[in-house]
Amino acid sequence: MTYTKATAFSPEQQEVARIAKVLSHPARIAILQHLAEAKTCISGDISSALPLSRTTVSQHLTELKNAGLIKGEIDGLTVCYCIDQETYDKARQLLEGMLAAIKSSCCTDTCC
């Protein structure tokens, strides 16, 4: 059995890190915001809403889709993307739980 450092962390910690990594690029945040506003979207519409080429937007869409945050449906030559609500809700709960668990108790007048 191969030991990796990742196995030293809980599955929840690994999942939060995976989600955070996908959300770490501002273009992906902009894509998610655009999809949230539009409810559903065609790939070409997304690239026209961002200051990025279609190829770059496509790469970011692939990352979001691989993470399960969005889903796409092929309709002829177009792909309609939307937020995968089930995965989004799970990701939101994980991130909220992690942030709530990390409470700043150190920064008092005596330590910093």
Side-chain angles (χ1 to χ4, degrees), residues 55-68:
T55 304
T56 302
V57 169
S58 179
Q59 291 169 345
H60 289 299
L61 287 167
T62 299
E63 290 293 324
L64 290 166
K65 190 170 182 181
N66 288 342

Side-chain angles (χ1 to χ4, degrees), residues 27 30 46-54 56-57:
I46 296 170
S47 61
S48 66
L50 299 171
L52 302 170
S53 70
R54 281 187 178 207
T56 302
V57 169

Side-chain angles (χ1 to χ4, degrees), residues 69 83-96:
L69 291 172
I83 292 173
D84 185 316
Q85 200 61 49
E86 184 178 327
T87 305
Y88 169 82
D89 289 341
K90 180 182 175 188
R92 191 194 65 188
Q93 289 173 354
L94 281 168
L95 290 169
E96 285 176 351

Side-chain angles (χ1 to χ4, degrees), residues 7-81:
T7 59
F9 301 99
S10 74
E12 184 174 287
Q13 289 168 327
Q14 292 181 46
E15 183 67 8
V16 169
R18 186 183 69 79
I19 293 165
K21 183 176 180 181
V22 171
L23 296 176
S24 69
H25 197 289
R28 294 183 200 134
I29 300 296
I31 289 169
L32 289 171
Q33 289 172 326
H34 182 72
L35 290 174
E37 291 171 8
K39 305 293 185 209
T40 185
C41 198
I42 299 171
S43 180
D45 289 343
I46 296 170
S47 61
S48 66
L50 299 171
L52 302 170
S53 70
R54 281 187 178 207
T55 304
T56 302
V57 169
S58 179
Q59 291 169 345
H60 289 299
L61 287 167
T62 299
E63 290 293 324
L64 290 166
K65 190 170 182 181
N66 288 342
L69 291 172
I70 64 171
K71 53 187 174 182
E73 205 173 286
I74 298 173
D75 182 22
L77 297 175
T78 62
V79 180
C80 297
Y81 288 101

